[in-house]
Amino acid sequence: MQLYNTLSAEERAIMIDDAGQQRLTLSFYAYAKIEDPKKFRDDLFVAWNALDALGRIYVANEGINAQMSIPEENLEAFRATLEVYDFMKGIRLNEAVEHDDHSFLKLTIKVRHKIVADGLNDETFDVTNIGVHLKAKEFNEILDDPNTIVVDFRNHYESEVGHFKNAITPDVETFRESLPIINEQLQNHKEDKNLVMYCTGGIRCEKASAYFKHQGFKNVYQLEGGIINYAKQLKEEGLESKFIGKNFVFDNRLGERITDDIVSQCHQCGKPCDNHTNCENDGCHLLFIQCDECKAAMENCCSSECLEIIHMPLVDQVRLRTGKQVGNKVFRKGKSENLKFKHSGELPETALATAQKPADIRQKIKVKKVLLGKAEHYYVKAQVGQFTIENHELNRGDKILISGPTTGDQQLILDKIIVDGAEIQSAKIGDKVTFEVPFRIRLSDKVYKILE
């Protein structure tokens, strides 16, 4: 029985585009006693794989933590797979503010010691004695109370691009680091202040609120469903957002906009920007904020050293990174001396700029198309894009679609194709082609051939 992925991310992306289905990005969690996490994991994989569900899921003896992408038409069938388990009956599914068909490209379910690495000994306190859940309206009201202290239980790279006004934003790389820091910082306010906490989807606060009640804090509150659910309620109820900026998310989107305020800077040039990227050098993968101009100039790299490395022969790149553990640190590595404009700890409350309205990520009108390849570079002055052809053949006169979260969907008819400096009629798989593109493209963009 298949209990693992058989397709690469690239192959899955092609299948998703060819299927033409609207997909939903959602998350949920539940603390519960699971006797056999391995069997639970395998049963979920079989059920969800049949529904074309994708995502990153952790299961443990203490419960489940899931971020997923599913076809919209399979939503009710997916809910039914959860209802099989008593502890997930009626569970809240936090639906993303912005849906992206490519938010997840694999179904990964891992058995872990804990569903969130908190470093706590759960035997020493009552993990079910949690703080009071607050909906968005109630959360806004308590933030206006002068006796409230609001704490962000996310990491520095998350809070940098967006946070609640007047929140304490610990300069930490992991959730477990923030617990003792906040406990020490607020020792003198256990009885006279409201300790109000928030995180992305609520799971970190679920454990943190119980921990702080055990530490003697009398008035402990948490944002129900985290920032994701808060944003949903803002829209439904027409409430004022006391969150400013962007909500960092742990999928291919790397963020969803809550307000139009940009509160962070490009880590390389200082321009107002809140778009995260991972360094193109596979031996680095540093997570940092990079504007479009620096992305084009630095080819997605965090430093001149990494830029030099990506142009080395592959065998030399592999040799340089041999023995280095980088894969599990993609989201944790957010600091480097190369990042001149990185901020963490105490963060600004005012916007540095206003974000442009993004193109709608949902593909409401499906165009029949096939994936050709991806963007490699954009030459700003010449208005020329370079692309790698990974699937099918590209011909002069073809109608193409260039698509990405920021670029949107842009169509062109190719009058000229250049490969290795020469104009050609057709490009084959493996060719790096260049042609005029009268709009800015990004390295995350994909290029498709439109089928008439």
Side-chain angles (χ1 to χ4, degrees), residues 232-261:
K232 180 182 178 183
Q233 291 178 37
L234 292 183
K235 289 186 175 182
E236 291 175 346
E237 301 175 32
L239 302 173
E240 172 197 0
S241 177
K242 292 185 179 292
F243 184 96
I244 181 171
K246 203 173 191 180
N247 181 30
F248 185 94
V249 292
F250 292 84
D251 59 54
N252 292 334
R253 297 171 298 154
L254 293 180
E256 53 184 18
R257 186 157 299 288
I258 308 300
T259 71
D260 292 333
D261 306 293

Side-chain angles (χ1 to χ4, degrees), residues 52-269:
D52 192 24
L54 306 171
R56 185 186 300 109
I57 303 95
Y58 300 127
V59 298
N61 288 115
E62 67 173 0
I64 181 171
N65 180 18
Q67 294 87 41
M68 303 190 68
S69 165
I70 62 171
E72 186 175 37
E73 63 184 32
N74 290 346
L75 179 59
E76 292 310 311
F78 177 77
R79 285 185 186 276
T81 67
L82 305 181
E83 297 284 335
V84 170
Y85 304 94
D86 288 340
F87 71 90
M88 288 198 285
K89 288 185 182 296
I91 194 170
R92 180 187 63 249
L93 301 180
N94 282 336
E95 206 172 298
V97 175
E98 300 171 342
H99 295 279
D100 183 346
D101 290 349
H102 291 182
S103 59
F104 290 100
L105 295 173
K106 289 188 177 183
L107 176 59
T108 304
I109 310 178
K110 295 184 177 181
V111 176
R112 291 284 181 87
H113 176 61
K114 287 194 169 188
I115 53 177
V116 174
D118 51 40
L120 299 175
N121 182 354
D122 294 353
E123 302 301 322
T124 62
F125 66 101
D126 183 359
V127 297
T128 66
N129 184 22
I130 61 176
V132 177
H133 281 184
L134 298 175
K135 296 187 182 301
K137 186 174 185 296
E138 300 166 321
F139 194 82
N140 279 359
E141 290 170 352
I142 203 169
L143 291 188
D144 291 333
D145 188 331
N147 288 319
T148 289
I149 296 175
V150 60
V151 180
D152 190 328
F153 276 99
R154 301 172 303 152
N155 304 325
H156 63 83
Y157 53 84
E158 299 174 80
S159 56
E160 183 177 11
V161 295
H163 49 270
F164 279 97
K165 297 174 183 178
N166 301 316
I168 296 173
T169 52
D171 186 10
V172 296
E173 291 196 8
T174 63
F175 171 53
R176 70 171 67 193
E177 292 176 62
S178 64
L179 296 173
I181 291 174
I182 296 301
N183 190 34
E184 176 65 27
Q185 190 171 339
L186 303 182
Q187 274 296 307
N188 297 326
H189 299 292
K190 290 187 175 182
E191 297 192 12
D192 66 330
K193 297 291 185 181
N194 300 318
L195 176 55
V196 180
M197 54 189 67
Y198 69 91
C199 56
T200 307
I203 187 170
R204 285 176 271 192
C205 293
E206 201 79 0
K207 184 67 73 68
S209 66
Y211 169 77
F212 281 101
K213 290 187 73 173
H214 174 69
Q215 292 295 319
F217 288 84
K218 302 301 182 185
N219 307 304
V220 181
Y221 302 86
Q222 62 190 99
L223 179 58
E224 183 178 80
I227 302 164
I228 296 173
N229 198 42
Y230 177 84
K232 180 182 178 183
Q233 291 178 37
L234 292 183
K235 289 186 175 182
E236 291 175 346
E237 301 175 32
L239 302 173
E240 172 197 0
S241 177
K242 292 185 179 292
F243 184 96
I244 181 171
K246 203 173 191 180
N247 181 30
F248 185 94
V249 292
F250 292 84
D251 59 54
N252 292 334
R253 297 171 298 154
L254 293 180
E256 53 184 18
R257 186 157 299 288
I258 308 300
T259 71
D260 292 333
D261 306 293
I262 296 177
V263 297
S264 53
Q265 299 172 277
C266 170
H267 287 164
Q268 293 175 317
C269 72

